[in-house]
Amino acid sequence: MPQELAYLKESASQTAGPYVHIGLAPGAAGFDIYRQELGHDITGPNAKGQRIRVEGRVIDGMGAPIKDVLLEVWQANAEGHYAHPEGGGPVEDGFRGWGRVISDFDTGEWSFETVKPGTTRGRNVGTQAPHLNFWIVARGINIGLNTRMYFGDEDTANKADPVLNLIEWTHRRATLIAKRSEKGGLPTYRFDIQLQGENETVFFDV
Amino acid sequence: MTRPGEFYQRDRSIQPPAFTPGYKTSVARSPRYSMISLQNSVSEITGPRFGHNDIDAGDNDLLTNYAKAGESPIGERIILHGRVLDENARPVPNTLVEIWQANAGGRYRHKKDTYLAPIDPNFGGCGRTLTDENGYFFFRTVKPGAYPWRNMVNNWRPAHIHVSVFGLGFVQRLITQCYFEGDPLIPICPIVQTIPDAEAIEQLIAKLDLNATVPLDSIAYKFDIVLRGRRSTLFENRLEGN
Protein backbone atom coordinates (compact mmCIF):
# COMPACT_ATOMS: atom_id res chain seq x y z
CA MET A 1 0.00 0.00 0.00
CA PRO A 2 1.39 3.44 -0.87
CA GLN A 3 2.11 5.94 1.86
CA GLU A 4 -0.78 7.94 3.21
CA LEU A 5 -1.00 11.67 2.69
CA ALA A 6 -1.34 13.32 6.06
CA TYR A 7 -3.96 15.86 5.06
CA LEU A 8 -7.04 16.40 7.17
CA LYS A 9 -10.45 16.70 5.55
CA GLU A 10 -12.53 19.83 5.64
CA SER A 11 -15.40 19.60 8.12
CA ALA A 12 -18.69 18.99 6.36
CA SER A 13 -21.08 21.92 6.14
CA GLN A 14 -24.54 21.79 7.66
CA THR A 15 -27.42 24.18 7.10
CA ALA A 16 -27.46 27.37 9.17
CA GLY A 17 -31.11 26.54 9.89
CA PRO A 18 -34.04 28.83 10.65
CA TYR A 19 -32.56 30.18 13.88
CA VAL A 20 -29.23 31.41 12.49
CA HIS A 21 -30.11 34.84 13.86
CA ILE A 22 -29.58 33.68 17.45
CA GLY A 23 -25.92 33.20 16.76
CA LEU A 24 -25.15 35.78 14.12
CA ALA A 25 -27.81 38.48 14.60
CA PRO A 26 -29.39 37.98 18.04
CA GLY A 27 -31.24 41.30 17.95
CA ALA A 28 -33.31 39.95 15.07
CA ALA A 29 -34.03 36.75 17.02
CA GLY A 30 -35.58 39.02 19.65
CA PHE A 31 -32.99 39.54 22.38
CA ASP A 32 -30.08 41.73 23.31
CA ILE A 33 -26.95 39.97 24.55
CA TYR A 34 -23.71 41.33 23.08
CA ARG A 35 -22.10 44.76 23.52
CA GLN A 36 -22.06 44.96 19.73
CA GLU A 37 -23.30 42.78 16.90
CA LEU A 38 -20.79 42.31 14.14
CA GLY A 39 -21.20 43.15 10.48
CA HIS A 40 -23.55 46.15 10.70
CA ASP A 41 -20.89 48.68 9.67
CA ILE A 42 -19.06 47.62 6.52
CA THR A 43 -16.97 50.72 5.90
CA GLY A 44 -16.25 52.48 9.19
CA PRO A 45 -16.38 56.28 9.50
CA ASN A 46 -13.39 57.19 7.32
CA ALA A 47 -14.09 55.39 4.08
CA LYS A 48 -13.62 57.43 0.94
CA GLY A 49 -15.57 56.95 -2.25
CA GLN A 50 -19.18 56.92 -3.40
CA ARG A 51 -21.68 55.87 -0.74
CA ILE A 52 -24.23 53.46 -2.14
CA ARG A 53 -27.16 51.31 -1.11
CA VAL A 54 -27.57 47.69 -2.16
CA GLU A 55 -30.91 45.93 -1.89
CA GLY A 56 -32.55 42.75 -3.05
CA ARG A 57 -34.22 39.49 -2.23
CA VAL A 58 -33.21 35.84 -2.43
CA ILE A 59 -35.92 33.98 -4.32
CA ASP A 60 -36.58 30.24 -4.16
CA GLY A 61 -37.56 27.83 -6.92
CA MET A 62 -41.27 28.49 -6.36
CA GLY A 63 -40.73 32.21 -6.94
CA ALA A 64 -41.13 33.05 -3.25
CA PRO A 65 -38.71 35.33 -1.40
CA ILE A 66 -36.71 33.62 1.31
CA LYS A 67 -37.55 35.29 4.59
CA ASP A 68 -34.93 33.68 6.80
CA VAL A 69 -31.82 34.20 4.70
CA LEU A 70 -28.52 35.63 5.93
CA LEU A 71 -25.97 37.13 3.58
CA GLU A 72 -22.41 38.15 4.17
CA VAL A 73 -20.63 40.58 1.90
CA TRP A 74 -16.87 40.96 1.41
CA GLN A 75 -15.55 43.86 -0.61
CA ALA A 76 -12.61 46.09 -1.41
CA ASN A 77 -12.54 49.79 -0.62
CA ALA A 78 -12.89 52.53 -3.24
CA GLU A 79 -9.24 52.08 -4.19
CA GLY A 80 -9.67 48.36 -4.76
CA HIS A 81 -7.88 47.25 -1.60
CA TYR A 82 -9.20 44.56 0.73
CA ALA A 83 -8.68 44.97 4.48
CA HIS A 84 -6.21 42.11 4.63
CA PRO A 85 -2.40 41.77 4.54
CA GLU A 86 -2.64 40.40 1.00
CA GLY A 87 -5.46 42.73 0.00
CA GLY A 88 -3.56 44.88 -2.47
CA GLY A 89 -2.77 47.93 -0.33
CA PRO A 90 -3.76 50.00 2.68
CA VAL A 91 -7.36 50.78 3.64
CA GLU A 92 -8.87 53.62 5.67
CA ASP A 93 -8.72 53.32 9.44
CA GLY A 94 -11.82 51.39 10.52
CA PHE A 95 -12.59 49.97 7.08
CA ARG A 96 -13.32 46.23 7.37
CA GLY A 97 -15.13 45.59 4.09
CA TRP A 98 -17.26 42.85 5.60
CA GLY A 99 -20.94 42.98 6.42
CA ARG A 100 -23.76 40.75 7.50
CA VAL A 101 -27.36 41.35 6.54
CA ILE A 102 -30.60 39.46 7.06
CA SER A 103 -33.86 39.61 5.19
CA ASP A 104 -37.05 41.04 6.61
CA PHE A 105 -39.09 38.23 8.17
CA ASP A 106 -42.26 39.36 6.35
CA THR A 107 -41.09 40.46 2.92
CA GLY A 108 -37.69 38.85 2.37
CA GLU A 109 -36.22 42.24 1.42
CA TRP A 110 -32.69 43.04 2.57
CA SER A 111 -30.52 46.10 2.11
CA PHE A 112 -27.31 47.67 3.35
CA GLU A 113 -25.21 50.76 2.79
CA THR A 114 -21.56 50.76 1.88
CA VAL A 115 -19.13 52.42 -0.51
CA LYS A 116 -18.68 51.36 -4.10
CA PRO A 117 -15.51 49.26 -4.37
CA GLY A 118 -12.78 50.02 -6.87
CA THR A 119 -11.26 47.70 -9.42
CA THR A 120 -9.09 44.96 -7.95
CA ARG A 121 -6.13 43.14 -9.40
CA GLY A 122 -6.87 40.11 -11.53
CA ARG A 123 -5.66 36.64 -10.69
CA ASN A 124 -2.97 36.64 -13.36
CA VAL A 125 -2.98 39.90 -15.25
CA GLY A 126 -5.23 42.90 -15.59
CA THR A 127 -8.00 43.93 -13.26
CA GLN A 128 -11.37 42.77 -12.03
CA ALA A 129 -14.38 45.05 -12.40
CA PRO A 130 -15.77 46.48 -9.15
CA HIS A 131 -17.77 43.78 -7.39
CA LEU A 132 -19.14 42.59 -4.06
CA ASN A 133 -18.55 38.99 -2.95
CA PHE A 134 -21.57 37.33 -1.35
CA TRP A 135 -21.95 34.25 0.81
CA ILE A 136 -25.51 33.11 1.38
CA VAL A 137 -26.85 30.76 4.06
CA ALA A 138 -30.35 29.80 5.19
CA ARG A 139 -32.54 26.93 6.24
CA GLY A 140 -32.56 24.50 3.31
CA ILE A 141 -29.15 25.63 2.03
CA ASN A 142 -26.77 22.81 2.92
CA ILE A 143 -23.56 24.62 2.13
CA GLY A 144 -23.08 28.38 1.81
CA LEU A 145 -23.51 29.72 -1.72
CA ASN A 146 -20.88 32.03 -3.20
CA THR A 147 -21.72 34.60 -5.83
CA ARG A 148 -20.67 38.10 -6.91
CA MET A 149 -22.55 41.29 -7.59
CA TYR A 150 -21.30 43.61 -10.33
CA PHE A 151 -22.48 47.16 -11.01
CA GLY A 152 -24.84 48.01 -13.87
CA ASP A 153 -23.13 51.35 -14.47
CA GLU A 154 -19.70 49.78 -15.07
CA ASP A 155 -20.36 48.41 -18.51
CA THR A 156 -16.83 48.81 -19.86
CA ALA A 157 -15.17 47.25 -16.82
CA ASN A 158 -17.75 44.45 -16.72
CA LYS A 159 -17.11 43.53 -20.36
CA ALA A 160 -13.40 43.11 -19.54
CA ASP A 161 -13.89 41.28 -16.26
CA PRO A 162 -12.12 37.90 -16.25
CA VAL A 163 -14.71 36.24 -14.00
CA LEU A 164 -17.79 37.39 -15.91
CA ASN A 165 -16.04 36.29 -19.09
CA LEU A 166 -15.59 32.79 -17.68
CA ILE A 167 -19.34 32.29 -17.84
CA GLU A 168 -19.86 30.48 -21.10
CA TRP A 169 -23.56 31.32 -21.37
CA THR A 170 -23.32 35.05 -21.99
CA HIS A 171 -26.96 35.69 -21.09
CA ARG A 172 -26.34 34.33 -17.59
CA ARG A 173 -23.74 37.03 -16.89
CA ALA A 174 -26.65 39.44 -16.49
CA THR A 175 -27.76 37.58 -13.35
CA LEU A 176 -24.74 39.07 -11.56
CA ILE A 177 -25.18 42.67 -12.69
CA ALA A 178 -27.22 44.92 -10.41
CA LYS A 179 -29.34 47.69 -11.89
CA ARG A 180 -28.79 51.21 -10.63
CA SER A 181 -31.47 53.66 -9.52
CA GLU A 182 -31.59 56.58 -7.09
CA LYS A 183 -33.32 56.31 -3.73
CA GLY A 184 -33.19 58.91 -1.00
CA GLY A 185 -30.25 60.62 -2.68
CA LEU A 186 -28.13 57.46 -2.79
CA PRO A 187 -27.26 55.41 -5.84
CA THR A 188 -29.11 52.15 -5.19
CA TYR A 189 -28.28 48.83 -6.80
CA ARG A 190 -30.90 46.09 -6.99
CA PHE A 191 -29.58 42.52 -6.75
CA ASP A 192 -32.25 39.82 -6.69
CA ILE A 193 -30.73 36.38 -6.33
CA GLN A 194 -32.63 33.50 -7.95
CA LEU A 195 -31.80 30.12 -6.48
CA GLN A 196 -33.48 28.17 -9.27
CA GLY A 197 -35.32 28.52 -12.54
CA GLU A 198 -34.75 30.04 -15.92
CA ASN A 199 -32.88 33.01 -14.49
CA GLU A 200 -30.93 31.11 -11.86
CA THR A 201 -28.14 33.31 -10.54
CA VAL A 202 -24.62 32.16 -11.32
CA PHE A 203 -22.97 30.64 -8.26
CA PHE A 204 -19.27 29.96 -8.00
CA ASP A 205 -17.33 26.98 -6.72
CA VAL A 206 -14.52 29.04 -5.26
CA MET B 1 7.36 37.55 -8.55
CA THR B 2 5.31 36.01 -5.77
CA ARG B 3 1.60 35.49 -5.61
CA PRO B 4 -0.34 34.68 -2.48
CA GLY B 5 -1.10 31.00 -2.09
CA GLU B 6 -4.48 29.73 -3.10
CA PHE B 7 -6.75 27.46 -1.12
CA TYR B 8 -7.04 23.80 -2.04
CA GLN B 9 -10.15 23.13 -4.05
CA ARG B 10 -13.09 22.05 -1.94
CA ASP B 11 -13.61 18.28 -1.83
CA ARG B 12 -17.27 18.19 -2.82
CA SER B 13 -17.41 14.41 -2.36
CA ILE B 14 -17.58 14.87 1.40
CA GLN B 15 -19.80 17.95 1.38
CA PRO B 16 -23.58 17.87 1.18
CA PRO B 17 -24.91 18.66 -2.30
CA ALA B 18 -27.46 21.46 -2.61
CA PHE B 19 -30.37 19.19 -3.62
CA THR B 20 -31.19 16.64 -0.90
CA PRO B 21 -34.88 15.65 -1.12
CA GLY B 22 -34.84 13.93 2.29
CA TYR B 23 -34.39 17.40 3.74
CA LYS B 24 -37.45 18.91 2.10
CA THR B 25 -36.61 22.59 2.45
CA SER B 26 -33.55 22.06 0.25
CA VAL B 27 -35.68 21.16 -2.76
CA ALA B 28 -36.77 24.69 -3.65
CA ARG B 29 -33.63 26.31 -2.26
CA SER B 30 -31.02 24.40 -4.25
CA PRO B 31 -29.42 25.77 -7.41
CA ARG B 32 -29.74 23.32 -10.32
CA TYR B 33 -27.09 24.52 -12.75
CA SER B 34 -23.45 23.64 -12.20
CA MET B 35 -21.48 26.15 -10.24
CA ILE B 36 -18.79 27.96 -12.21
CA SER B 37 -15.38 26.89 -10.93
CA LEU B 38 -13.33 29.92 -10.04
CA GLN B 39 -9.60 29.95 -9.40
CA ASN B 40 -8.78 32.14 -6.42
CA SER B 41 -8.21 35.83 -7.01
CA VAL B 42 -7.52 38.47 -4.38
CA SER B 43 -11.27 38.46 -3.65
CA GLU B 44 -11.17 34.83 -2.52
CA ILE B 45 -7.84 34.56 -0.70
CA THR B 46 -8.61 37.51 1.56
CA GLY B 47 -11.28 37.67 4.24
CA PRO B 48 -12.38 39.67 7.28
CA ARG B 49 -10.32 39.69 10.43
CA PHE B 50 -11.53 40.20 13.97
CA GLY B 51 -9.86 41.27 17.17
CA HIS B 52 -10.43 41.45 20.87
CA ASN B 53 -12.11 44.85 20.48
CA ASP B 54 -14.91 43.20 18.57
CA ILE B 55 -16.05 40.84 21.32
CA ASP B 56 -15.98 40.61 25.10
CA ALA B 57 -14.15 38.10 27.26
CA GLY B 58 -17.35 36.61 28.70
CA ASP B 59 -19.04 36.08 25.34
CA ASN B 60 -17.90 32.43 25.28
CA ASP B 61 -19.62 31.54 28.57
CA LEU B 62 -23.23 30.64 27.84
CA LEU B 63 -23.73 29.68 31.48
CA THR B 64 -23.38 33.34 32.47
CA ASN B 65 -23.70 35.56 29.38
CA TYR B 66 -27.48 35.82 29.67
CA ALA B 67 -28.16 34.58 33.22
CA LYS B 68 -29.37 36.82 36.02
CA ALA B 69 -26.75 37.44 38.69
CA GLY B 70 -26.38 34.38 40.88
CA GLU B 71 -28.52 32.17 38.62
CA SER B 72 -27.68 29.57 35.97
CA PRO B 73 -29.45 27.95 33.06
CA ILE B 74 -31.02 24.54 33.62
CA GLY B 75 -29.31 21.56 32.06
CA GLU B 76 -26.19 19.47 31.86
CA ARG B 77 -23.19 21.79 32.25
CA ILE B 78 -20.67 21.16 29.48
CA ILE B 79 -17.40 22.50 28.13
CA LEU B 80 -17.14 22.44 24.35
CA HIS B 81 -13.56 22.86 23.30
CA GLY B 82 -11.25 22.07 20.42
CA ARG B 83 -9.08 23.55 17.74
CA VAL B 84 -9.63 25.13 14.36
CA LEU B 85 -7.18 23.53 11.95
CA ASP B 86 -6.72 23.58 8.20
CA GLU B 87 -6.30 20.61 5.89
CA ASN B 88 -2.53 20.83 6.38
CA ALA B 89 -3.21 20.25 10.12
CA ARG B 90 -1.94 23.75 10.87
CA PRO B 91 -3.78 25.69 13.58
CA VAL B 92 -5.90 28.63 12.44
CA PRO B 93 -5.17 31.37 15.01
CA ASN B 94 -7.21 34.46 15.91
CA THR B 95 -10.27 33.44 14.00
CA LEU B 96 -13.83 34.11 15.06
CA VAL B 97 -15.93 31.14 16.19
CA GLU B 98 -19.63 31.79 16.83
CA ILE B 99 -22.10 29.22 18.19
CA TRP B 100 -25.83 29.03 18.79
CA GLN B 101 -28.08 26.33 20.17
CA ALA B 102 -31.37 25.35 21.79
CA ASN B 103 -31.66 25.20 25.57
CA ALA B 104 -31.67 21.95 27.55
CA GLY B 105 -35.35 21.43 26.68
CA GLY B 106 -34.77 21.79 22.95
CA ARG B 107 -36.25 25.30 22.69
CA TYR B 108 -34.57 28.20 20.92
CA ARG B 109 -34.73 31.78 22.12
CA HIS B 110 -36.09 32.97 18.78
CA LYS B 111 -39.33 34.71 18.02
CA LYS B 112 -40.09 32.17 15.29
CA ASP B 113 -39.64 29.08 17.53
CA THR B 114 -42.98 27.93 18.93
CA TYR B 115 -42.01 24.52 20.33
CA LEU B 116 -43.85 23.82 23.59
CA ALA B 117 -40.72 23.28 25.70
CA PRO B 118 -40.19 26.45 27.74
CA ILE B 119 -37.70 29.25 27.26
CA ASP B 120 -35.05 29.26 29.99
CA PRO B 121 -34.94 32.76 31.50
CA ASN B 122 -31.22 32.34 32.18
CA PHE B 123 -30.15 31.09 28.77
CA GLY B 124 -29.62 33.16 25.63
CA GLY B 125 -28.16 30.39 23.50
CA CYS B 126 -25.31 32.10 21.67
CA GLY B 127 -21.60 32.62 22.24
CA ARG B 128 -18.48 33.70 20.38
CA THR B 129 -14.75 33.66 20.84
CA LEU B 130 -11.46 34.05 18.99
CA THR B 131 -9.11 31.09 18.67
CA ASP B 132 -5.76 31.57 20.37
CA GLU B 133 -2.36 31.33 18.67
CA ASN B 134 -2.70 27.52 18.63
CA GLY B 135 -6.15 27.59 17.06
CA TYR B 136 -7.70 26.59 20.39
CA PHE B 137 -11.17 27.68 21.55
CA PHE B 138 -13.57 26.79 24.33
CA PHE B 139 -17.12 27.52 25.41
CA ARG B 140 -19.09 26.76 28.56
CA THR B 141 -22.73 25.99 28.00
CA VAL B 142 -25.50 23.46 28.69
CA LYS B 143 -26.03 20.44 26.51
CA PRO B 144 -28.88 21.26 24.13
CA GLY B 145 -31.99 19.08 24.02
CA ALA B 146 -33.34 17.18 21.03
CA TYR B 147 -36.46 18.66 19.45
CA PRO B 148 -39.06 17.81 16.81
CA TRP B 149 -39.21 19.62 13.48
CA ARG B 150 -41.47 19.68 10.48
CA ASN B 151 -39.97 17.68 7.66
CA MET B 152 -41.54 14.26 7.69
CA VAL B 153 -44.31 14.07 10.28
CA ASN B 154 -42.05 12.73 13.02
CA ASN B 155 -38.48 13.96 12.64
CA TRP B 156 -36.31 14.87 15.62
CA ARG B 157 -33.05 16.75 15.52
CA PRO B 158 -30.24 15.17 17.52
CA ALA B 159 -28.75 17.43 20.18
CA HIS B 160 -26.53 19.86 18.29
CA ILE B 161 -24.71 23.16 18.49
CA HIS B 162 -24.44 25.32 15.38
CA VAL B 163 -20.88 26.50 14.72
CA SER B 164 -19.76 29.32 12.40
CA VAL B 165 -16.06 29.81 11.56
CA PHE B 166 -14.24 32.33 9.38
CA GLY B 167 -10.65 31.24 8.78
CA LEU B 168 -8.21 33.52 6.99
CA GLY B 169 -9.85 33.75 3.56
CA PHE B 170 -13.49 34.27 2.60
CA VAL B 171 -13.55 30.90 0.80
CA GLN B 172 -12.82 29.12 4.10
CA ARG B 173 -16.09 30.41 5.55
CA LEU B 174 -18.00 27.51 7.09
CA ILE B 175 -21.15 26.86 9.08
CA THR B 176 -21.64 23.39 10.46
CA GLN B 177 -23.23 21.60 13.41
CA CYS B 178 -21.60 19.78 16.32
CA TYR B 179 -23.29 16.57 17.46
CA PHE B 180 -22.61 14.53 20.60
CA GLU B 181 -21.16 11.05 20.86
CA GLY B 182 -23.70 8.29 21.51
CA ASP B 183 -26.84 10.09 20.34
CA PRO B 184 -29.17 7.58 18.61
CA LEU B 185 -30.86 10.39 16.65
CA ILE B 186 -27.72 11.19 14.63
CA PRO B 187 -27.92 8.41 12.01
CA ILE B 188 -31.64 8.95 11.35
CA CYS B 189 -31.53 12.74 11.02
CA PRO B 190 -32.38 13.97 7.49
CA ILE B 191 -30.06 16.96 7.90
CA VAL B 192 -27.14 14.77 8.99
CA GLN B 193 -27.99 12.49 6.07
CA THR B 194 -27.38 15.30 3.58
CA ILE B 195 -23.66 14.52 4.10
CA PRO B 196 -22.74 11.77 1.62
CA ASP B 197 -19.70 10.42 3.47
CA ALA B 198 -19.78 8.37 6.69
CA GLU B 199 -16.40 9.59 7.92
CA ALA B 200 -17.38 13.18 7.31
CA ILE B 201 -20.40 12.62 9.57
CA GLU B 202 -18.20 11.08 12.27
CA GLN B 203 -16.00 14.16 12.07
CA LEU B 204 -18.96 16.29 13.22
CA ILE B 205 -19.55 14.23 16.37
CA ALA B 206 -17.88 15.66 19.47
CA LYS B 207 -16.28 13.08 21.71
CA LEU B 208 -16.56 12.89 25.47
CA ASP B 209 -13.25 14.23 26.82
CA LEU B 210 -12.96 13.14 30.41
CA ASN B 211 -9.53 14.72 30.85
CA ALA B 212 -10.95 18.15 30.07
CA THR B 213 -13.87 17.95 32.47
CA VAL B 214 -13.95 20.08 35.57
CA PRO B 215 -14.55 17.49 38.31
CA LEU B 216 -17.80 18.01 40.23
CA ASP B 217 -18.66 20.87 37.86
CA SER B 218 -18.81 20.34 34.06
CA ILE B 219 -18.45 17.48 31.62
CA ALA B 220 -16.39 18.15 28.47
CA TYR B 221 -16.68 17.37 24.77
CA LYS B 222 -13.91 17.87 22.22
CA PHE B 223 -14.80 19.25 18.79
CA ASP B 224 -12.11 20.07 16.23
CA ILE B 225 -13.05 21.99 13.10
CA VAL B 226 -11.12 21.66 9.85
CA LEU B 227 -11.11 24.44 7.26
CA ARG B 228 -9.73 24.31 3.75
CA GLY B 229 -5.96 24.23 3.47
CA ARG B 230 -3.78 26.58 1.53
CA ARG B 231 -0.80 26.22 -0.73
CA SER B 232 2.45 27.87 0.24
CA THR B 233 3.25 31.01 -1.68
CA LEU B 234 3.36 30.29 -5.37
CA PHE B 235 6.10 31.50 -7.63
CA GLU B 236 5.40 32.29 -11.26
CA ASN B 237 7.88 29.71 -12.49
CA ARG B 238 6.66 26.88 -10.25
CA LEU B 239 3.47 24.99 -10.65
CA GLU B 240 3.41 23.30 -7.28
CA GLY B 241 3.24 24.72 -3.82
CA ASN B 242 6.17 23.78 -1.62
Side-chain angles (χ1 to χ4, degrees), chain B residues 27-165:
Chain B
V27 173
R29 295 184 171 197
S30 43
R32 296 298 159 85
Y33 295 142
S34 298
M35 289 183 283
I36 305 290
S37 297
L38 196 58
Q39 289 176 293
N40 290 178
S41 75
V42 66
S43 302
E44 285 77 37
I45 61 166
T46 58
R49 293 179 305 152
F50 302 91
H52 290 283
N53 292 334
D54 290 315
I55 64 173
D56 288 325
D59 286 352
N60 67 339
D61 189 350
L62 285 70
L63 295 182
T64 58
N65 71 5
Y66 198 75
K68 298 181 191 74
E71 297 186 19
S72 284
I74 297 213
E76 187 180 347
R77 296 160 63 85
I78 66 168
I79 291 163
L80 182 72
H81 77 135
R83 291 202 298 161
V84 180
L85 304 166
D86 71 11
E87 289 170 297
N88 298 315
R90 293 191 188 110
V92 182
N94 307 313
T95 198
L96 182 65
V97 181
E98 296 164 291
I99 66 168
W100 67 101
Q101 64 170 96
N103 67 23
R107 173 75 183 267
Y108 285 96
R109 183 177 287 279
H110 191 291
K111 54 187 170 192
K112 296 287 183 187
D113 188 4
T114 56
Y115 181 38
L116 49 79
I119 288 282
D120 184 332
N122 291 307
F123 192 66
C126 59
R128 56 188 185 179
T129 191
L130 290 168
T131 58
D132 72 10
E133 66 276 14
N134 301 312
Y136 180 79
F137 68 88
F138 81 95
F139 294 93
R140 280 208 316 174
T141 185
V142 294
K143 192 171 176 187
Y147 59 85
W149 61 296
R150 289 177 192 279
N151 185 57
M152 294 187 336
V153 170
N154 189 23
N155 281 139
W156 292 75
R157 291 305 323 279
H160 65 278
I161 296 178
H162 297 265
V163 183
S164 160
V165 195

Side-chain angles (χ1 to χ4, degrees), chain A residues 12 14 72 82 123 139 196, chain B residues 6 27 43 173 176 179:
Chain A
Q14 292 272 260
E72 289 186 356
Y82 286 95
R123 178 173 185 275
R139 176 173 65 103
Q196 278 176 19
Chain B
E6 297 165 303
V27 173
S43 302
R173 191 81 180 83
T176 187
Y179 303 99

Side-chain angles (χ1 to χ4, degrees), chain A residues 35-202:
Chain A
R35 172 171 50 88
Q36 59 174 349
E37 289 191 15
L38 300 173
H40 291 205
D41 181 5
I42 299 173
T43 64
N46 304 310
K48 301 184 189 99
Q50 172 67 57
R51 288 209 70 81
I52 61 169
R53 187 169 175 275
V54 179
E55 62 176 26
R57 291 176 304 167
V58 179
I59 298 159
D60 75 13
M62 316 274 189
I66 295 188
K67 299 168 181 176
D68 52 10
V69 70
L70 181 141
L71 305 98
E72 289 186 356
V73 58
W74 173 238
Q75 68 163 96
N77 72 359
E79 291 182 292
H81 302 160
Y82 286 95
H84 188 277
E86 294 159 331
V91 297
E92 301 88 344
D93 193 29
F95 181 89
R96 176 134 57 195
W98 170 79
R100 191 176 257 173
V101 63
I102 60 163
S103 60
D104 183 273
F105 287 154
D106 296 320
T107 64
E109 287 278 338
W110 51 264
S111 70
F112 57 86
E113 286 185 18
T114 184
V115 295
K116 192 174 179 187
T119 56
T120 48
R121 68 169 188 260
R123 178 173 185 275
N124 297 312
V125 291
T127 57
Q128 305 186 91
H131 65 275
L132 305 177
N133 305 283
F134 279 90
W135 183 74
I136 303 158
V137 295
R139 176 173 65 103
I141 295 177
N142 290 324
I143 182 164
L145 298 170
N146 291 88
T147 189
R148 290 181 170 199
M149 188 200 99
Y150 288 83
F151 294 84
D153 52 0
E154 294 282 350
D155 201 40
T156 308
N158 290 343
K159 283 200 162 63
D161 181 79
V163 170
L164 286 173
N165 284 325
L166 263 183
I167 303 166
E168 181 183 342
W169 307 273
T170 49
H171 69 282
R172 296 196 67 207
R173 296 173 189 171
T175 66
L176 302 185
I177 299 174
K179 284 203 176 69
R180 175 177 167 151
S181 64
E182 300 281 333
K183 271 189 191 169
L186 273 187
T188 296
Y189 295 87
R190 179 86 195 173
F191 187 45
D192 284 325
I193 297 165
Q194 304 271 358
L195 294 186
Q196 278 176 19
E198 204 179 332
N199 294 314
E200 182 179 307
T201 297
V202 170

Side-chain angles (χ1 to χ4, degrees), chain B residues 202-216:
Chain B
E202 296 281 324
Q203 196 172 316
L204 297 185
I205 303 174
K207 196 168 174 67
L208 174 68
D209 184 356
L210 203 61
N211 291 345
T213 57
V214 180
L216 307 180

